[in-house]
Amino acid sequence: LVAGIIIRRHCMLPLNAAILLSMEISTPFLNTTLLLRNRGDAFSSIVTISGICFVVFFLIFRLILNSYGALLLWLHRENAMPDTVPLWQQYFLFAAIQVGTLLQFYWLPQIARTFLKALSAMSSPPEAKELLKDVPVPNEEHEPAAKLSQDEAVRLRRKTASSKGLE
């Protein structure tokens, strides 16, 4: 908010301002996914489509384009802003834009994990999904002491599925 006020007040950094605004193109898809993801099978198609759109737009606008804009600003920092802009505002804008870019990379692993989990769930047969929902799979955030390797988790799932007659 403060960065936007400074940019607007001094009528500067039009490319960076446009990039910052363009990042919001992914937000409606994220909101749609979050709103409808637990509403049942009737909404599964729209959740899948909006989730894919969110990931694609996140990568294009929030990671690639935003990083490009931050890099350009950094490379041309000596002449990026008019001399009339107070020095503290210049430093604040440089820091805010760089930290904002880093924040997008902070969210990337969680978004990638969620997206890959959804893709793997889509590729499983429906009856396997139903049986495997009860099989505990350790999550590093919630169960750090009970870590299984990927192979061990797959073997445990297969064992449970075969004992229930799926294989």
Side-chain angles (χ1 to χ4, degrees), residues 73-137:
L73 180 62
W74 184 255
L75 291 175
H76 301 286
R77 64 188 174 274
E78 290 84 23
N79 58 1
M81 295 182 210
D83 295 334
T84 57
V85 177
L87 197 57
W88 74 268
Q89 290 181 6
Q90 291 182 27
Y91 288 142
F92 177 80
L93 280 177
F94 283 125
I97 290 173
Q98 303 306 321
V99 169
T101 301
L102 292 176
L103 183 63
Q104 306 310 315
F105 284 95
Y106 171 80
W107 283 109
L108 179 62
Q110 179 63 36
I111 290 169
R113 276 193 300 271
T114 304
F115 183 68
L116 293 174
K117 181 180 172 184
L119 281 181
S120 67
M122 286 174 37
S123 65
S124 301
E127 27 329 304
K129 288 183 205 174
E130 185 63 32
L131 286 173
L132 295 179
K133 75 177 184 179
D134 298 327
V135 177
V137 178

Side-chain angles (χ1 to χ4, degrees), residues 29 33 44-54:
F29 299 105
T33 301
S44 64
S45 296
I46 191 76
V47 169
T48 301
I49 292 167
S50 59
I52 290 170
C53 290
F54 168 71

Side-chain angles (χ1 to χ4, degrees), residues 61-74:
F61 291 98
R62 289 185 178 255
L63 292 183
I64 296 170
L65 188 61
N66 188 33
S67 298
Y68 174 72
L71 178 65
L72 278 180
L73 180 62
W74 184 255

